[in-house]
Amino acid sequence: MQSRPASSSPAVGPLRRVKVLLPLPLDGAYDYRAAAGLPVEAGDFVLVPLGRREEIGVVWSAGGAGPGAIAEGRLKDIAHRFDLPPLPAVARRFVDWVASYTLNPPGAVLRMAMSVSAVFGEGPRPAIAYRLAAGVAPDGPAPEGVKLTPQRRRVLEIARAGARPLSEIAREAGVGVGVARTLADAGLLESVVIPDATAAMPDGSRAGPDLSEDQRLAAGELTAKIEKGGYAATLLDGVTGSGKTEVYFEAIAAVLKRGRQALVMLPEIALTASWLERFTARFGAAPTEWHSELSAKQRRANWLAVAKGEARVVVGARSALFLPYSKLGLIVVDEEHDTAFKQEDGVIYHARDMAVVRAHLGGIPIVLSSATPSLESTVNADTGRYQRLHLPLRHGGAVLPVIEAVDIRQHRPPHQRWLTPVLRDALTETLAQGEQAMLFLNRRGYAPLTLCRACGHRLKCPTCSAWLVEHRLIRQLQCHHCGYTIKSPEACPACGAVGEMAACGPGVERLSEEVAELYPKARVSVMASDTITGPAAAAEFVRAVTEREIDILIGTQIVAKGHHFPLLTLVGVVDGDLGLDGGDLRASERSFQLLYQVAGRAGRADRPGRVLVQTANPEHPVMRALVAGDRDGFLAAEAEGRKRRHMPPFGRLVALIVSAGDKEHADATARALARLAPRGDGVEVLGPSEAPLSLLRGRHRRRLLMKTPRGTDVQGMLRDWLAQVPITGDARVQVDIDPYSFM
Ligand code: ADP
Ligand code: ZN
């Protein structure tokens, strides 16, 4: 492990009394004493006593003032300083900023930056290997004082073949490690340190593809910003397949050449497989990954590599934003419109928005990339806060697919079937031409609802207000909110009737049954988040589609993103209305983005694509804009509507979710909050009302929604408000600044 450079924080210098922030939901950093023999500086990771435990924290600042300051005599000593690079000042400021913005204790945010307890354990022991010492012959005479038994000679023989750990040599020789150790102690085997298998680093000087004129201009703008340095936000706005990825790869190359780190955030890590391949082909080495699928060992290694600046390009999910980068020089948020960037539990934050903050604090460029930018980013580009770089054409002259709405009221599918004759004809034609088709249905499992034909009883989750979703392949019913699972019952749990349980509505599994019936020879495969569980499974899936092992691909929103399947020429959206009736602020926007992204999967390369969207609302603005290919018109109309209603991004929203195990308690707490709600110019508090998901994991939920003008200090207002309302018992109030989910 590398020791700390002497000049890590020259401005702060050694401190005697310091504040240490712990990764716990405490009200602030606590004072500790740094003993003379253990000098610490701001950012150092340290072990401190807390009550009867010891906790690992970060030296946050000079101690003395503010909350947590205690009398000299009661100060406890810092017990240990870890030999790790200190958390840089900008990372500490970022933690404070996010905490203050989201109204969370800083320690709760710090926990996201320290999510690798293994880092703080023992350092990795250097691997030591042994080989035959010079001048020793396994079959030669025994040296002075050592008896060479046949066993020992076998060890020497094995060791002659090359340096290996002692245990391995012993195993190969069929002896105990003790035998090998004796020979090492006697000097017949000599030790060599195996150099750390340092991974190859992405190389920014490798040449990328020849860029088109538009691509070159966009890449030039980005690299200029990197060379100039400083904060700059860019919206990279280009149709699917226009080469946005190639363009921001150029920016990454520029960052690498300057010896700094780049972070690329992707919304769904299961989908990064093809991205990783492209990156590796372009830069000659894989990037450093950061997501929940990593093993503890990988997490530890990657965290350290980021902290030491050895990890040059990090690709990850939301949490990658909180890694302790030592020299971050660029952030890219790919598919920036994706709502998966919003973390909905624990510290509730939007990783795209926080990434912009991080870039600002760090004085570095940020690129937001999308074919369907969020309304927020669109407005920021329109008002000049972000620079917009536009890529209007698909690479290589591929044309955008033709999108048609299929009115399911006119073209009715047969009873208990979901494909219209129009879509079936298109499928038949596509298969006949040896091309691939994709059917999109954003519903996992077999059926979203199961009911009893005899008594009408519907199968519900016992602890959530939600139906149980049937997963027929594994013969289970699941709650998609809490994970509650039961075996699919034979008899109705309410009336006992046997064989009367009926599935209502389609999920992807049921759709695949219909497809298999219609096309018994076609190779059909389902892709959903429960069938594609990680990067490896996703990679395998992408390979199978690319190599034509699959004819019809059926998927949930997991297929909407980022894949390039050259033979995929037909996309059928089975239920285009599914997202429209969500009724919340962004239902239309999200629906449009999702359907447009799905449509973008059709007709890459040289084959034109066709997209059929089944809908009962062909007149809906979303459907009209899709069919007309009028993204900008749609966004303009959305923006107009939001402006009129003072909704984000023209006004601000904060949601408060009150929950408690007891229904009355939840109601009383919510009402108490409402009574003390802030008032003022343009400030409105709606509710309390029952949350749509009024019961979740056995807790009753109520919602309040605060609506304010754009410039309002909502955090200040909320702090004052929440401080007045006693929250008792097991009641909880979750604050969701800029809410995306209204469930
Ligand atoms: P986007 O990110 O906008 O969807 P991509 O960067 O993924 O677009 O590009 C779409 C496809 O076209 C990819 O397979 C990519 O490798 C290819 N491509 C884009 N630009 C070029 C280029 N200048 N030269 C060669 N291939 C390119
Ligand atoms: Zn549940």
Side-chain angles (χ1 to χ4, degrees):
M1 189 159 302
Q2 146 196 309
S3 17
R4 187 177 49 143
S7 62
S8 59
S9 289
V12 182
L15 302 168
R16 289 283 295 146
R17 181 186 181 122
V18 295
K19 286 205 182 303
V20 173
L21 185 63
L22 300 171
L24 301 168
L26 305 167
D27 53 4
Y30 292 170
D31 274 11
Y32 286 92
R33 189 173 58 191
L38 190 69
V40 295
E41 293 177 0
D44 279 344
F45 289 92
V46 292
L47 187 69
V48 295
L50 180 75
R52 262 183 264 157
R53 295 172 299 171
E54 287 197 317
E55 293 284 344
I56 299 163
V58 177
V59 177
W60 213 245
S61 58
I70 52 170
E72 195 76 45
R74 294 179 47 219
L75 272 183
K76 298 223 175 98
D77 280 342
I78 291 175
H80 177 69
R81 177 173 66 75
F82 292 91
D83 193 11
L84 292 170
L87 190 67
V90 54
R92 300 197 303 274
R93 272 194 292 149
F94 183 52
V95 166
D96 282 333
W97 201 99
V98 173
S100 155
Y101 187 82
T102 61
L103 264 78
N104 272 282
V109 180
L110 177 65
R111 184 155 58 187
M112 301 195 287
M114 290 175 60
S115 55
V116 264
S117 50
V119 165
F120 306 100
E122 287 221 339
R125 262 176 265 135
I128 298 195
Y130 290 81
R131 63 181 176 214
L132 198 62
V136 178
D139 40 7
E144 274 280 313
V146 188
K147 222 180 130 221
L148 278 187
T149 60
Q151 266 198 342
R152 290 182 176 180
R153 286 192 188 273
R154 212 156 56 236
V155 170
L156 296 180
E157 187 64 44
I158 298 287
R160 178 152 67 177
R164 262 156 304 164
L166 217 47
S167 55
E168 211 170 289
I169 294 174
R171 189 159 38 79
E172 284 185 45
V175 304
V177 179
V179 179
R181 167 117 13 238
T182 311
L183 293 171
D185 291 346
L188 300 187
L189 298 178
E190 64 183 9
S191 66
V192 286
V193 174
I194 304 173
D196 215 6
T198 30
M201 286 197 187
D203 179 358
S205 62
R206 286 164 66 109
D210 288 334
L211 298 183
S212 71
E213 179 69 12
D214 287 335
Q215 292 174 342
R216 200 168 53 245
L217 285 174
E221 291 278 343
L222 292 183
T223 48
K225 287 185 209 300
I226 285 166
E227 269 143 34
K228 181 156 161 271
Y231 168 77
T234 307
L235 178 61
L236 185 54
D237 172 2
V239 296
T240 43
S242 58
K244 296 183 294 297
T245 311
E246 299 296 346
V247 167
Y248 74 65
F249 275 179
E250 293 300 308
I252 292 174
V255 168
L256 288 174
K257 282 187 213 149
R258 298 175 67 84
R260 302 191 68 179
Q261 295 168 301
L263 162 64
V264 180
M265 296 187 1
L266 300 176
E268 204 144 353
I269 211 67
L271 302 175
T272 54
S274 44
W275 190 96
L276 289 174
E277 253 170 49
R278 272 177 80 178
F279 181 95
T280 308
R282 168 72 176 79
F283 293 102
T288 303
E289 293 177 57
W290 189 258
H291 50 77
S292 55
E293 303 280 323
L294 296 181
S295 69
K297 197 171 155 204
Q298 283 172 318
R299 282 177 88 73
R300 177 199 156 85
N302 292 1
W303 191 93
L304 281 174
V306 171
K308 292 178 185 171
E310 290 161 5
R312 306 295 301 283
V313 179
V314 175
V315 60
R318 304 182 288 249
S319 55
L321 192 54
F322 293 92
L323 288 172
Y325 301 93
S326 57
K327 43 185 181 184
L328 190 60
L330 170 71
I331 303 176
V332 176
V333 183
D334 203 348
E335 310 287 6
E336 68 88 29
H337 62 277
D338 202 301
T339 47
F341 284 120
K342 183 80 193 288
Q343 169 147 315
E344 297 287 2
D345 48 31
V347 177
I348 300 180
Y349 67 97
H350 198 305
R352 176 202 58 220
D353 297 347
M354 294 307 107
V356 173
V357 171
R358 177 64 179 79
H360 201 267
L361 290 175
I364 59 172
I366 179 164
V367 177
L368 309 179
S369 175
S370 176
T372 51
S374 62
L375 196 61
E376 277 76 8
S377 298
T378 306
V379 169
N380 280 331
D382 291 345
T383 55
R385 222 165 303 155
Y386 299 168
Q387 187 193 358
R388 187 197 301 266
L389 296 175
H390 203 216
L391 297 177
L393 302 174
R394 276 188 154 183
H395 175 71
V399 285
L400 283 167
V402 179
I403 304 179
E404 300 157 55
V406 178
D407 190 335
I408 53 169
R409 295 166 308 181
Q410 271 172 34
H411 308 276
R412 300 175 74 95
H415 181 62
Q416 295 283 49
R417 299 288 184 275
W418 287 271
L419 301 180
T420 57
V422 183
L423 183 48
R424 287 203 307 261
D425 289 348
L427 271 171
T428 308
E429 201 177 302
T430 303
L431 294 177
Q433 282 168 4
E435 295 172 349
Q436 291 169 313
M438 182 168 101
L439 295 176
F440 173 72
L441 177 63
N442 209 7
R443 262 198 190 136
R444 289 193 284 133
Y446 187 82
L449 168 64
T450 303
L451 58 72
C452 171
R453 274 187 295 248
C455 75
H457 177 72
R458 299 164 170 217
L459 295 181
K460 265 187 66 183
C461 175
T463 61
C464 302
S465 38
W467 308 128
L468 292 177
V469 178
E470 183 184 358
H471 289 255
R472 192 161 285 189
L473 294 175
I474 48 174
R475 293 160 196 271
Q476 279 182 354
L477 291 161
Q478 291 179 0
C479 171
H480 283 182
H481 295 283
C482 72
Y484 173 82
T485 299
I486 52 169
K487 269 187 62 187
S488 299
E490 290 289 315
C492 172
C495 74
V498 177
E500 293 294 334
M501 301 313 291
C504 294
V508 283
E509 284 180 13
R510 195 172 198 181
L511 191 62
S512 81
E513 260 184 22
E514 180 176 349
V515 170
E517 230 173 67
L518 290 167
Y519 307 100
K521 293 214 198 87
R523 294 161 300 175
V524 180
S525 189
V526 173
M527 186 182 190
S529 58
D530 49 347
T531 61
I532 303 293
T533 48
E540 169 52 23
F541 192 88
V542 170
R543 187 203 59 75
V545 179
T546 310
E547 294 178 10
R548 277 180 97 166
E549 289 169 20
I550 293 169
D551 301 311
I552 302 176
L553 154 60
I554 298 176
T556 59
Q557 45 115 16
I558 201 165
V559 298
K561 301 168 191 180
H563 301 291
H564 306 297
F565 300 129
L567 279 175
L568 185 75
T569 54
L570 174 68
V571 168
V573 176
V574 175
D575 186 351
D577 304 329
L578 204 51
L580 289 179
D581 47 2
D584 73 58
L585 172 67
R586 293 183 184 83
S588 289
E589 182 191 352
R590 259 201 317 262
S591 237
F592 181 85
Q593 285 161 348
L594 188 58
L595 296 179
Y596 187 92
Q597 294 277 347
V598 174
R601 301 302 127 219
R604 319 284 300 207
D606 53 349
R607 291 160 203 254
R610 188 173 174 206
V611 180
L612 298 177
V613 184
Q614 300 191 149
T615 172
N617 298 289
E619 297 305 313
H620 192 286
V622 167
M623 294 304 157
R624 289 221 231 193
L626 268 176
V627 170
D630 186 14
R631 190 201 74 179
D632 292 342
F634 173 77
L635 281 173
E638 268 294 293
E640 200 44 53
R642 298 247 196 115
K643 198 178 216 162
R644 212 172 39 242
R645 293 178 294 142
H646 307 289
M647 282 297 198
F650 304 100
R652 305 203 57 186
L653 288 182
V654 177
L656 297 185
I657 301 112
V658 181
S659 67
D662 176 68
K663 197 169 173 178
E664 264 71 64
H665 190 189
D667 276 325
T669 309
R671 278 197 305 269
L673 271 169
R675 266 196 303 278
L676 291 164
R679 280 161 241 285
D681 273 346
V683 176
E684 223 182 313
V685 174
L686 310 168
S689 58
E690 257 190 23
L693 203 52
S694 60
L695 187 64
L696 178 63
R697 295 188 176 91
R699 291 174 67 85
H700 295 269
R701 302 168 79 245
R702 302 291 180 265
R703 297 185 68 103
L704 293 110
L705 189 65
M706 178 163 104
K707 196 176 154 194
T708 77
R710 194 183 154 101
T712 310
D713 168 24
V714 289
Q715 282 80 8
M717 212 171 243
L718 283 161
R719 270 185 209 104
D720 292 345
W721 180 13
L722 294 173
Q724 293 174 55
V725 185
I727 308 297
T728 57
D730 75 340
R732 255 188 87 202
V733 180
Q734 266 184 299
V735 179
D736 185 357
I737 306 273
D738 313 324
Y740 277 66
S741 163
F742 296 85
M743 290 305 282

